Amino acid sequence: MTANDEYIVEILEGLGLIDQSQAEQALEGARTDDKPVVDVLVAQGVASHMDILKTLASQFGMDTINLEDHDISQEVIDSVPADVAYRYKVVPAFKHDSTITVAVSDPLDVETLDSLRYVLKCNVEGVVAPRNEIESALNKYYPRAQEGTVESMLEEITEGTVAVPSATMQDIIGEDVEVTESDAPIIKLVSLVILEAFRNRASDIHLEPMAKKFRLRYRIDGVLHEMESPPKRLQSAIISRLKIMSNMAIAEKRLPQDGRIQINVLGRDLDLRVSSIPSNHGESIVMRILDKEGLLLGLPQLGFLSDDQQTFERMIGLSDGIILVTGPTGSGKTTTLYACLNQINRPDRKIITVEDPVEYQLSGINQVHVRSDIGLTFGAALRSILRQAPNIIMIGEIRDLETAEIAVNASLTGHLVFSTLHTNDAPSAVTRLIDIGVKPFLVASSTRAIMAQRLVRKICSSCKESYKPDDLELNALGSSAEQIREAELYRGAGCNECKGTGYRGRLGIFEMFVISDEVQHLIFEQVSASVLRAKARELGMRTLREDGLRKIIAGQTTLQEVLRVTMGDSLI
């Protein structure tokens, strides 16, 4: 909690942006979690970050700016040295005569503007921009101010300058080891691999031993991109360094291992889930990057259109029942569940999660990490947490009958239960639960809604252009083509912002299956998934492809993306 938080809340409450109850909850959350009150208000879904900034900026006679859509000339950038920009977390936006206008994230931070006037020896004015846009602009316009790239680091490493860390007993038990001068280049290289992944918004880092090379790939917006590969001779040293960082046994190269790295990159706290598995040419390493600030997403940022968002908010506001999110691995199910928990996390509700593993740490929520090696399974954890009298339970995944039965019983005794299943569409989740062994009448009476989802890439806003699809593209849609034949479609031309891909970021497409009385009757009769799907369509459910088409027409994604993730949708 910052010194200005009470003043900020007083301004927002006085202008009617929040009420007294929301103000008290926000201040309590800021004190409890030691966060700025603006971040708490955004996380609670009370107001968007930009709405708050605009309100505060107007009170101090300042304007706001969208740095993502604002091109800054090199002359303006040169007016503020890189070390000054990074030290004060500002970006110069305009320059007129002897006055420089800089973007700041806090309109109440007058000390920064005063310091800049002294350092730059000129008049400095401020405009307000979100903190994440300022960080992105710093990375974009001051690349030389940061550490080097992986490519430049590889050029510096020559034969004989790298030693493989020895497999001492300290290494095996995961304790810190002494770093020698010969280890330093590898330590720096590994750090740069992680830094470059973060700069490129990657979700995963893949280090794969091949016969003649050590391949490095980043997964960006769900698609793998090959990067400059480290020399094959550095393979053992890099793998050993990563295993030390993640507390794995570096002497064990025959068995798969899992670990975790906590690291601060450019002021952001990241968790890296590390997995190693032996392969023909050495150990393959995959690191999943978990950005804690990504959890501040609200439901609108997930990609919901207004009608689906209203339906989903109504479902997660229920007092009991099961709400399932389905889809394959990497379809954003966990992000959706965490966004739900953020939406409904209030001081008067007790929320407990059971996860394998706990991917993000959420303030105000009790999280249980499943450990099958000591007997703490999903079933064992769930039986215990029901005695903790929670209002809301989140189960990472329903995998077996024991977990499913406990979830059903919890929902029937007044608990709201969130969980995930691996099914291709929403109606199939019903037959999946019955196949696991849950009795049909229990599935019908406990399940409130099932939502299938996929992730599609968003069109880059910097190079977005309209175009007319050809007949080949439309024919791939089959009967759905008529919905967009006359619509104006968009695509990304490719630019520096999106690294020439035409896409930047991702959003969800959804299939919302609400369990009505008619559907409950069909579930009790154990009808097939196709019959359930037909009834759901009759009652107004949109398929994944139909929701994708709406987002194509809205200019959010492309026809190719929707086809890529829903190829089997029309056949179900």
Side-chain angles (χ1 to χ4, degrees):
M1 183 168 174
T2 65
N4 292 322
D5 280 350
E6 291 186 1
Y7 185 45
I8 290 173
V9 167
E10 184 180 334
I11 292 174
L12 298 178
E13 185 179 356
L15 294 173
L17 193 63
I18 61 175
D19 57 34
Q20 184 178 357
S21 174
Q22 292 169 331
E24 293 173 355
Q25 289 179 9
L27 287 172
E28 179 62 29
R31 277 190 290 268
T32 303
D33 303 336
D34 194 24
K35 288 183 176 179
V37 77
V38 171
D39 289 350
V40 176
L41 288 168
V42 173
Q44 291 177 348
V46 174
S48 71
H49 201 167
M50 184 54 78
D51 286 341
I52 295 174
L53 287 181
K54 286 181 178 178
T55 302
L56 295 175
S58 65
Q59 291 300 296
F60 295 91
M62 298 173 70
D63 294 323
T64 56
I65 187 172
N66 185 341
L67 289 176
E68 292 181 349
D69 297 333
H70 179 64
D71 289 327
I72 307 173
S73 68
Q74 190 60 45
E75 179 186 358
V76 175
I77 291 296
D78 292 341
S79 65
V80 177
D83 59 333
V84 174
Y86 274 96
R87 189 192 320 156
Y88 294 100
K89 296 293 188 293
V90 298
V91 173
F94 307 100
K95 183 180 180 183
H96 180 70
D97 294 333
S98 61
T99 299
I100 300 173
T101 302
V102 300
V104 298
S105 60
D106 184 0
L108 279 71
D109 187 8
V110 294
E111 292 181 3
T112 290
L113 296 179
D114 287 340
S115 298
L116 287 171
R117 293 185 185 105
Y118 176 79
V119 171
L120 299 175
K121 309 298 182 186
C122 66
N123 186 37
V124 178
E125 296 179 351
V127 290
V128 183
R131 183 166 54 250
N132 64 313
E133 290 187 15
I134 291 177
E135 291 174 355
S136 296
L138 285 171
N139 295 337
K140 175 182 177 181
Y141 293 108
Y142 294 99
R144 297 183 181 278
Q146 305 166 36
E147 295 182 56
T149 63
V150 174
E151 289 81 356
S152 63
M153 180 63 196
L154 290 174
E155 291 174 0
E156 295 174 8
I157 298 179
T158 59
E159 289 285 353
T161 61
V162 177
V164 180
S166 58
T168 64
M169 183 58 69
Q170 286 179 311
D171 300 336
I172 296 171
I173 64 175
E175 296 293 331
D176 291 334
V177 296
E178 183 180 355
V179 177
T180 66
E181 186 176 349
S182 62
D183 297 330
I186 282 298
I187 293 172
K188 185 176 180 182
L189 176 58
V190 169
S191 299
L192 283 173
V193 166
I194 297 171
L195 175 61
E196 283 287 283
F198 177 74
R199 288 177 184 166
N200 285 281
R201 302 176 297 104
S203 59
D204 302 276
I205 303 171
H206 294 250
L207 288 159
E208 303 159 311
M210 302 284 125
K212 295 184 178 180
K213 73 174 184 176
F214 188 37
R215 184 166 67 177
L216 169 64
R217 294 193 290 176
Y218 294 156
R219 189 181 298 278
I220 303 171
D221 294 334
V223 177
L224 283 169
H225 297 267
E226 188 160 355
M227 314 304 289
E228 181 72 21
S229 297
K232 179 72 174 176
R233 63 185 175 82
L234 302 183
Q235 176 179 310
S236 297
I238 291 172
I239 290 173
S240 295
R241 173 60 187 166
L242 287 170
K243 291 173 75 173
I244 290 171
M245 291 175 69
S246 52
N247 290 323
M248 295 182 189
I250 68 171
E252 179 56 77
K253 301 179 180 180
R254 302 163 299 171
L255 297 173
Q257 296 187 71
D258 293 308
R260 195 164 191 160
I261 299 172
Q262 292 183 316
I263 192 170
N264 186 283
V265 177
L266 299 179
R268 299 273 283 273
D269 291 326
L270 303 181
D271 279 351
L272 278 69
R273 250 174 49 195
V274 186
S275 171
S276 75
I277 189 168
S279 66
N280 285 346
H281 304 290
E283 291 174 279
S284 175
I285 300 280
V286 175
M287 293 179 280
R288 185 174 183 190
I289 301 173
L290 306 174
D291 182 5
K292 296 178 180 179
E293 293 192 17
L295 287 180
L296 297 178
L297 287 177
L299 294 181
Q301 285 74 44
L302 296 177
F304 285 107
L305 295 177
S306 57
D307 52 349
D308 280 343
Q309 183 178 334
Q310 290 175 359
T311 301
F312 195 58
E313 286 180 343
R314 179 167 55 85
M315 291 294 103
I316 67 176
L318 296 175
S319 59
D320 58 30
I322 297 177
I323 295 174
L324 294 173
V325 180
T326 75
T329 301
S331 59
K333 301 186 298 295
T334 301
T335 301
T336 297
L337 287 181
Y338 280 136
C340 293
L341 295 183
N342 271 330
Q343 180 88 357
I344 61 180
N345 186 14
R346 299 287 184 272
D348 61 339
R349 297 172 178 170
K350 180 162 185 174
I351 303 175
I352 302 181
T353 73
V354 183
E355 305 170 65
D356 183 20
V358 174
E359 294 193 3
Y360 299 95
Q361 296 181 359
L362 300 174
S363 60
I365 293 177
N366 303 277
Q367 296 173 271
V368 179
H369 184 170
V370 169
R371 291 189 59 188
S372 300
D373 57 327
I374 61 172
L376 185 59
T377 62
F378 273 104
L382 286 169
R383 283 193 297 272
S384 298
I385 68 172
L386 288 175
R387 292 193 287 271
Q388 296 280 315
N391 302 103
I392 298 163
I393 300 169
M394 193 269 271
I395 306 169
E397 181 185 348
I398 294 179
R399 300 178 179 178
D400 50 40
L401 176 59
E402 182 185 23
T403 304
E405 285 182 334
I406 296 174
V408 167
N409 290 334
S411 70
L412 295 175
T413 53
H415 303 86
L416 182 61
V417 180
F418 293 95
S419 191
T420 69
L421 271 180
H422 287 278
T423 61
N424 288 328
D425 67 330
S428 296
V430 172
T431 54
R432 171 67 177 147
L433 288 173
I434 295 173
D435 288 342
I436 288 175
V438 182
K439 292 180 173 58
F441 77 91
L442 291 176
V443 176
S445 56
S446 63
T447 311
R448 296 288 179 263
I450 304 169
M451 186 178 74
Q453 72 174 68
R454 301 289 190 277
L455 292 176
V456 294
R457 290 182 290 176
K458 293 193 294 184
I459 300 172
C460 175
S461 59
S462 299
C463 58
K464 185 176 180 179
E465 63 179 16
S466 62
Y467 82 106
K468 191 72 174 176
D470 56 35
D471 290 338
L472 187 63
E473 291 177 298
L474 293 174
N475 291 339
L477 283 174
S479 59
S480 304
E482 293 304 318
Q483 299 180 40
I484 65 170
R485 189 175 294 277
E486 302 302 324
E488 184 177 18
L489 304 189
Y490 295 88
R491 64 186 175 190
C495 64
N496 292 332
E497 286 293 308
C498 60
K499 303 291 190 295
T501 64
Y503 299 99
R504 185 174 173 86
R506 290 191 289 177
L507 76 158
I509 57 174
F510 306 98
E511 183 176 274
M512 195 85 64
F513 182 29
V514 178
I515 309 299
S516 63
D517 292 341
E518 293 178 72
V519 173
Q520 283 184 334
H521 182 69
L522 290 177
I523 295 173
F524 182 73
E525 292 182 345
Q526 297 190 56
V527 301
S528 65
S530 60
V531 175
L532 281 176
R533 187 176 182 81
K535 173 55 72 173
R537 297 291 303 281
E538 181 185 322
L539 295 174
M541 182 190 82
R542 278 184 295 270
T543 66
L544 288 165
R545 176 165 291 185
E546 288 169 342
D547 191 47
L549 291 178
R550 293 203 302 163
K551 284 158 186 174
I552 292 172
I553 295 171
Q556 295 177 323
T557 189
T558 65
L559 178 58
Q560 291 77 13
E561 274 297 289
V562 172
L563 287 172
R564 179 176 67 86
V565 301
T566 64
M567 282 304 293
D569 185 46
S570 59
L571 303 177
I572 296 175

